[in-house]
Amino acid sequence: MANTSVIYARAATITIADFRLDNGQMAFADNTYPAAIELAGGLTLLDGGGYFNTAHSDYPGVFNITADISGVGALNAQMMAIAFADPSTTTSTVEIVLTGNNTYEGGTLAGLRGIVTAAVDGALGTGDVMVSSTGTLHLTGGTTNDYIDDGAMVEVASGGVVNLDFTGTDVIGGLSIAGTEAEGGTWGAVGSGADHESDALTGTGMLQIPGDETIVYQTGYNSGGESWETGADWSNGLPAQAGFHYVNELGRDSGLSRTPEGTSVEFPGESLTLANTSVIYARAATVTIADFRLDNGQMAFADNTYPAAIELAGGLTLLEGGGYFNTAHGDYAGVFNITADVSGTGMLNAQMMPISFADPSTTTSTVEIVLTGDNTYEGGTLAGLRGIVTAAVDGALGTGDVTVSETGTLHLTGGTTHDYIDDSATVNLAPGGVLNLDFTGTDMIGALLMDGTLADAGTWGAVGSGADFESEQIEGEGYLQVPGAGIDHIVNRDKRVFDGEVEGAQPGDRLLLEAGERAAITFRNLHGSEAHPIVIVNDGGRVTFSGTDFAAVAFENCSHVRFTGTGSSDYFYGIEATGSSTMGIAVHEFSTNVEVDHCEVHGVNFAGIMAKTDPKCDLSANRDNFVMYDTVLHHNLVYEVGGEGFYIGFSFYGGYSSTAGCEGTTLYPHVLDGVKIYRNIVHHTGLEGIQVGCATSDCEIYKNHVTFTGLTNQQYQNRGVQLGGGTGGKFYQNYIADVPATGLIVQGYGDNEIYDNVIVRTGGVFLDKGPEPTSNQGFKVFNNTIVDSEIGINLYATDVLQNQIKNNLVVNSSGEDIRRLSSSVPWELEGNLTYDTAAEAGFVDAENDDYSLASGSAALDAGVDLSAQMPAVDYEGKVRESDWDVGAYEGQWLLKDEPTTLRGMTDTGAGMATSTWFGTFSLDDYPWLGHDRLGWLYAYDDEIDSLWLWSPTADSWLWTSRFCFPFAWSDAGTTWLYFYLHEGEAVWAYNYSTSAWEFYAE
């Protein structure tokens, strides 16, 4: 109901499953109908809010709203004008009684003779509350008395009433009475005993307003055993209460305090910090502290008359001084079950420590901490003097090192991946200490110290466990995996299968591929670690894999592996995969965390590089059971393949019906978390150049060169790049050209960011969100140059919040330049330019595919500043100036007359300069330039936007310009060169006349 429309209630119970009010109201029909009406179902308050009203004489109408209330609008109880009644002439009242699960945000008004009764906790949503001069706010019932949001403002006009019909305190953000802002503290009725009393308040309850003084210190040890329930321990003399942060920093001899006794207790303050050896004694079976901070403080068992097992819930932050858990009573096995999530930079310690009335050296007590939270603390873990640390879930021990003392025990149990200890952490086991590996499997660690001596690489386990190394200090069935020390394994040319379990490959090892031609190979069961991956590299020259297998190179059940062709400086692509295999390189069968780089793939029947594990009928490889992490593919050359150049992730994010063993069952493919595809060259493929599906998180595809793809012209697979179902993330600085259909099609996650791309002679860009319940943020399409397309940008995404199409340069479209399916597609257009011809756009040399902006182009300085939404760099990585240009290129020029006239150059001093596009070079010997990557070059003027350079290294004159560098024309070779200038690597030049990479310089 909108625009002041009214519905009249004439039934005792009205159920509307989805009732929406947008400046509409519900009113009582007249006084012949029920005086109390229940509104059930669901109520959404849209922007205009909702009103409840009765305008009949002497009629106290009551709406019992059991419906759950949501939305952004306000809820109002007040007399309002309707067609047959004037609210100023009636004495009626209208009351709304709220008992639903309410989350509405727009606030609440008890208006003209309106009564709002909040009868359950959280009834008033999250907004502010206003009580008019004839209104009443009634708070009653509930269990925690948290009717009003802790951050909400309550404004009570003169004459208004707030009835606090409960016992206890409700924390609010602020209070205004008759226009005067209330002071911090408790507020209640006259005679209530609150810090502040007011005639506007009735009842026994109190409203708590946080004061300016939010830090309350412990005053000292109270030998009477007072707890936080009394005010005796705290400097403000009040019991601990919401709105205050508490600090105990007086030390263990004077800063002792206790929890209340009981089965379950909860600290009511905002936070509790124990510092400087101060102690809190636990006297309840469950202690919940929402924000518990330890900074060289400790929690200890009170004595052996209290529970031997205590749960610590809430949140635990370990500050720099760390935190300790302790019991110092004779023959007492105390256990702390820490279900709280543990974060922070400090260390977590389980050990006997001195307190005021116990000497840890004379007791036989033990203390155990059992960790089951989502823990991220960084400072490490200590199982100290008679301390036991039990990690009962994966990741329980945070990211730091783990130390087990001579009387300590580390117990690892439960979990699913058995990754209790961080892969880069060191485990330090003292003589007498115990490692109880109470699980089946292997936990990867960074290093193992046994009595201070670094343990050998391999698996470590208990005596009789079958591990590579066995120790009497280790118990249980599990293993700790210690990474290798970089052992090299020679993989001869006749090797067809390399099994890591059989060959004993350890994290940190290298597999050296003997150079030359060889048959296909399968790598199986190779498991490195994040800190110590297994590296597979060509040795002594180029390696060529070829065969008729499923893949020329296959990875099965591998993790944390890098496959790289960087083993010989004579070859940029040191590994070649070819032949009549189905795939060139296949990363499948539960493989994850695999990096592939500097490989050349061509000639195979289907995909050049594939990374996915197909769904299985037993669900082992399916969503929620398997995730492929950190798939990194870069600096590869893929061409002349029958299918996709890159086939990453499964095609059907929304599931598909199996036809292989479990017919009729919908199988959902696994997702990919962490996909990086960059600096690859892909051309002449049968299907898409790059296809990515199910990459739901941390996906980036950038700086790839994709041309002549989809050449079989198979319908729906004749595109340049396809980002399929479930794929989100960023797509930027890519070049796509000469594709029979759509250059870039996105049917992905709905949060895709597409910027700084050049797309030429294709069907254009098509954008839609997949039908699956994914993100609804909308597409961001910024600063792309799209030339000679059927439709420049074609937008179909309807069920998203907003699509943003900005700063795009669209030229010579045979159809529409920028279009949307219908008016139901939300979009925001700004800063885009469209032209019919390249000449109008002002490109430098469109005939030779140079789409940078010439001087005088109308696209210069014509864009909007998007630096808050995307990186302020262009297609070539140049920094965008304050006035953004439209399209993928930012116009900057290098003019070569004198060194001081190098536009876009910065003189960095000491005879050195840097250019936004040409890099760093010396000017001391001008016109000789000492370029940091290309060596000595002799500069000779040509025209205003270009430059001739003599290169002694290339023995040739080179022509280049701001618009094409690092491409250069070689006069001697009469060919174009492309210089590979990646920092930290040798300089190579791709020779387009020979289609080969040539070494230029170190």
Side-chain angles (χ1 to χ4, degrees):
M1 301 187 65
N3 196 26
T4 72
S5 56
V6 184
I7 188 170
Y8 289 99
R10 302 190 300 173
T13 300
I14 299 174
T15 301
I16 306 175
D18 186 5
F19 189 25
R20 306 179 188 183
L21 291 175
D22 190 3
N23 195 25
Q25 63 172 296
M26 175 176 273
F28 283 86
D30 57 53
N31 55 13
T32 63
Y33 291 103
I37 292 174
E38 178 188 359
L39 174 62
L43 172 60
T44 302
L45 303 173
L46 302 179
D47 191 55
Y51 299 84
F52 288 83
N53 178 24
T54 183
H56 293 274
S57 176
D58 193 23
Y59 191 67
V62 178
F63 285 98
N64 292 304
I65 305 180
T66 60
D68 293 342
I69 309 176
S70 60
V72 298
L75 181 64
N76 305 266
Q78 62 176 319
M79 308 306 299
M80 299 177 65
I82 54 177
F84 51 85
D86 180 353
S88 65
T89 62
T90 177
T91 59
S92 293
T93 60
V94 61
E95 180 179 4
I96 54 178
V97 180
L98 305 174
T99 57
N101 181 20
N102 300 335
T103 58
Y104 65 100
E105 304 169 12
T108 308
L109 171 64
L112 178 62
R113 289 191 298 283
I115 304 167
V116 175
T117 294
V120 294
D121 300 316
L124 298 171
T126 61
D128 295 339
V129 181
M130 291 170 284
V131 183
S132 73
S133 60
T134 60
T136 298
L137 174 66
H138 182 199
L139 309 182
T140 188
T143 55
T144 63
N145 303 320
D146 190 15
Y147 310 98
I148 303 171
D149 188 76
D150 289 355
M153 183 74 179
V154 178
E155 299 182 21
V156 186
S158 179
V161 175
V162 178
N163 183 356
L164 308 177
D165 186 15
F166 60 91
T167 301
T169 304
D170 190 356
V171 177
I172 61 176
L175 175 66
S176 172
I177 299 178
T180 301
E181 188 171 348
E183 299 178 21
T186 54
W187 282 78
V190 175
S192 65
D195 298 335
H196 309 279
E197 299 179 347
S198 171
D199 290 337
L201 307 178
T202 63
T204 57
M206 299 182 187
L207 298 178
Q208 171 74 60
I209 305 173
D212 295 333
E213 182 61 48
T214 59
I215 307 297
V216 182
Y217 291 89
Q218 174 82 8
T219 56
Y221 171 54
N222 187 307
S223 60
E226 299 290 351
S227 73
W228 67 51
E229 290 182 320
T230 73
D233 284 349
W234 306 110
S235 58
N236 65 349
L238 297 174
Q241 54 195 312
F244 290 87
H245 298 273
Y246 292 82
V247 177
N248 181 335
E249 61 176 13
L250 301 182
R252 63 173 176 259
D253 294 327
S254 58
L256 305 173
S257 55
R258 292 165 167 77
T259 73
E261 294 185 46
T263 301
S264 179
V265 298
E266 184 172 353
F267 186 69
E270 298 299 301
S271 69
L272 173 61
T273 302
L274 300 182
N276 194 27
T277 72
S278 57
V279 183
I280 187 169
Y281 286 99
R283 304 190 298 175
T286 300
V287 178
T288 300
I289 305 174
D291 186 2
F292 190 24
R293 308 172 187 179
L294 292 176
D295 191 4
N296 195 26
Q298 62 174 293
M299 175 177 270
F301 284 87
D303 57 53
N304 54 13
T305 63
Y306 290 102
I310 292 174
E311 177 188 0
L312 174 62
L316 174 59
T317 303
L318 303 173
L319 303 179
E320 186 177 4
Y324 301 83
F325 288 82
N326 180 24
T327 183
H329 295 275
D331 193 22
Y332 189 67
V335 178
F336 286 98
N337 293 305
I338 304 180
T339 59
D341 293 342
V342 188
S343 61
T345 59
M347 176 180 282
L348 183 63
N349 304 266
Q351 62 176 317
M352 308 306 301
M353 298 179 66
I355 53 177
S356 60
F357 51 87
D359 180 352
S361 65
T362 62
T363 177
T364 59
S365 292
T366 60
V367 61
E368 179 178 6
I369 54 177
V370 180
L371 302 170
T372 57
D374 182 11
N375 300 335
T376 58
Y377 65 101
E378 305 168 10
T381 309
L382 172 63
L385 179 62
R386 289 194 297 284
I388 305 168
V389 175
T390 294
V393 294
D394 301 316
L397 298 171
T399 62
D401 296 339
V402 180
T403 300
V404 183
S405 74
E406 60 185 11
T407 59
T409 297
L410 176 65
H411 183 199
L412 308 182
T413 189
T416 55
T417 64
H418 310 307
D419 190 15
Y420 312 98
I421 304 170
D422 189 78
D423 288 355
S424 60
T426 296
V427 177
N428 191 340
L429 181 62
V434 175
L435 294 178
N436 184 353
L437 309 181
D438 186 17
F439 60 93
T440 302
T442 303
D443 189 358
M444 181 71 61
I445 62 175
L448 174 63
L449 291 174
M450 304 283 287
D451 191 16
T453 300
L454 187 64
D456 291 334
T459 55
W460 283 77
V463 175
S465 66
D468 298 334
F469 304 95
E470 299 179 347
S471 170
E472 293 181 350
Q473 289 183 252
I474 301 178
E475 302 173 351
E477 298 179 357
Y479 296 160
L480 292 183
Q481 173 74 63
V482 179
I487 297 173
D488 288 342
H489 304 260
I490 305 300
V491 184
N492 296 321
R493 282 200 300 271
D494 59 354
K495 194 78 168 177
R496 296 295 308 277
V497 176
F498 190 99
D499 190 316
E501 291 183 358
V502 175
E503 306 285 349
Q506 303 293 331
D509 287 356
R510 292 194 309 168
L511 277 56
L512 303 181
L513 304 173
E514 184 181 5
E517 296 185 3
R518 57 193 302 160
I521 193 169
T522 297
F523 296 101
R524 187 174 294 146
N525 301 323
L526 291 174
H527 297 291
S529 69
E530 183 175 2
H532 305 280
I534 292 175
V535 177
I536 307 171
V537 62
N538 57 305
D539 182 37
R542 183 174 167 94
V543 177
T544 299
F545 293 97
S546 142
T548 59
D549 302 54
F550 171 72
V553 179
F555 291 90
E556 299 177 358
N557 189 32
C558 294
S559 64
H560 296 291
V561 172
R562 181 186 179 191
F563 185 69
T564 177
T566 56
S568 171
S569 61
D570 294 333
Y571 299 92
F572 186 79
Y573 301 115
I575 295 175
E576 180 184 21
T578 186
S580 56
S581 298
T582 306
M583 309 290 179
I585 299 173
V587 182
H588 69 141
E589 290 303 309
F590 302 96
S591 294
T592 182
N593 302 88
V594 175
E595 178 179 1
V596 178
D597 64 276
H598 293 87
C599 297
E600 179 177 342
V601 184
H602 64 97
V604 298
N605 293 330
F606 194 59
I609 299 177
M610 183 200 77
K612 65 186 178 75
T613 297
D614 287 343
K616 299 183 183 298
C617 289
D618 65 3
L619 309 184
S620 59
N622 302 12
R623 194 171 305 162
D624 299 327
N625 292 325
F626 175 69
V627 176
M628 178 177 276
Y629 291 100
D630 295 337
T631 303
V632 182
L633 312 170
H634 62 96
H635 295 96
N636 299 291
L637 173 62
V638 180
Y639 61 98
E640 295 176 1
V641 298
E644 293 89 348
F646 288 78
Y647 186 4
I648 312 304
F650 204 75
S651 299
F652 303 103
Y653 179 75
Y656 77 109
S657 182
S658 171
T659 58
C662 49
E663 288 79 1
T665 300
T666 300
L667 303 180
Y668 294 93
H670 68 78
V671 300
L672 289 82
D673 184 343
V675 173
K676 299 289 186 293
I677 303 174
Y678 63 94
R679 293 190 181 275
N680 301 285
I681 298 174
V682 187
H683 64 85
H684 292 90
T685 64
L687 305 180
E688 291 93 344
I690 299 175
Q691 176 181 307
V692 180
C694 302
T696 58
S697 178
D698 191 23
C699 177
E700 291 190 45
I701 303 170
Y702 58 98
K703 295 184 182 298
N704 299 287
H705 194 274
V706 181
T707 57
F708 297 101
T709 62
L711 298 184
T712 60
N713 211 15
Q714 180 176 324
Q715 188 176 21
Y716 305 128
Q717 290 203 273
N718 51 357
R719 292 98 172 223
V721 175
Q722 175 174 314
L723 307 183
T727 300
K730 300 178 180 181
F731 185 86
Y732 60 95
Q733 294 177 342
N734 298 283
Y735 181 87
I736 305 173
D738 299 299
V739 177
T742 306
L744 170 65
I745 181 169
V746 183
Q747 295 171 306
Y749 207 64
D751 66 343
N752 304 76
E753 300 177 22
I754 300 158
Y755 56 89
D756 289 338
N757 300 286
V758 177
I759 302 174
V760 183
R761 293 183 296 277
T762 75
V765 176
F766 178 88
L767 306 169
D768 196 4
K769 189 178 86 72
E772 299 81 16
T774 54
S775 170
N776 68 343
Q777 296 177 31
F779 294 97
K780 296 179 180 178
V781 186
F782 298 153
N783 281 95
N784 299 284
T785 295
I786 304 171
V787 182
D788 298 340
S789 297
E790 181 179 349
I791 296 176
I793 299 174
N794 196 3
L795 186 61
Y796 269 51
T798 54
D799 56 339
V800 297
L801 295 177
Q802 183 62 281
N803 298 294
Q804 300 180 58
I805 316 295
K806 301 182 180 182
N807 286 3
N808 297 284
L809 181 57
V810 183
V811 179
N812 192 29
S813 300
S814 59
E816 296 180 62
D817 294 308
I818 303 175
R819 71 177 296 270
R820 57 178 171 173
L821 174 65
S822 67
S823 60
S824 63
V825 177
W827 69 357
E828 181 181 355
L829 303 179
E830 190 174 10
N832 302 291
L833 291 177
T834 61
Y835 296 102
D836 292 334
T837 67
E840 292 178 275
F843 294 134
V844 169
D845 189 3
E847 289 186 2
N848 291 300
D849 284 342
D850 184 350
Y851 300 101
S852 55
L853 304 176
S855 57
S857 170
L860 295 171
D861 300 336
V864 294
D865 188 337
L866 299 176
S867 55
Q869 295 181 271
M870 62 174 279
V873 296
D874 76 344
Y875 170 74
E876 296 177 328
K878 297 181 302 297
V879 176
R880 292 189 183 271
E881 299 172 348
S882 56
D883 294 324
W884 282 42
D885 299 341
V886 176
Y889 292 90
E890 182 75 4
Q892 299 169 351
W893 299 281
L894 177 64
L895 306 183
K896 195 74 195 78
D897 293 320
E898 300 290 339
T900 55
T901 63
L902 289 169
R903 192 182 304 172
M905 182 198 82
T906 301
D907 189 341
T908 58
M912 299 298 294
T914 185
S915 162
T916 54
W917 64 272
F918 193 55
T920 301
F921 49 91
S922 71
L923 290 170
D924 279 346
D925 298 295
Y926 178 79
W928 283 97
L929 304 179
H931 196 274
D932 69 333
R933 305 308 313 281
L934 299 177
W936 286 105
L937 302 168
Y938 183 86
Y940 179 79
D941 285 343
D942 183 23
E943 298 178 354
I944 188 171
D945 294 331
S946 61
L947 186 65
W948 279 100
L949 300 164
W950 170 257
S951 168
T953 303
D955 193 25
S956 174
W957 282 97
L958 304 175
W959 179 91
T960 189
S961 78
R962 142 73 185 82
F963 312 109
C964 67
F965 187 79
F967 289 90
W969 174 262
S970 171
D971 187 56
T974 61
T975 183
W976 280 98
L977 302 176
Y978 171 75
F979 287 103
Y980 173 74
L981 302 175
H982 197 56
E983 181 143 357
E985 300 186 26
V987 177
W988 291 74
Y990 186 78
N991 188 317
Y992 279 83
S993 66
T994 63
S995 299
W997 284 94
E998 300 171 352
F999 180 72
Y1000 183 86
E1002 290 290 348

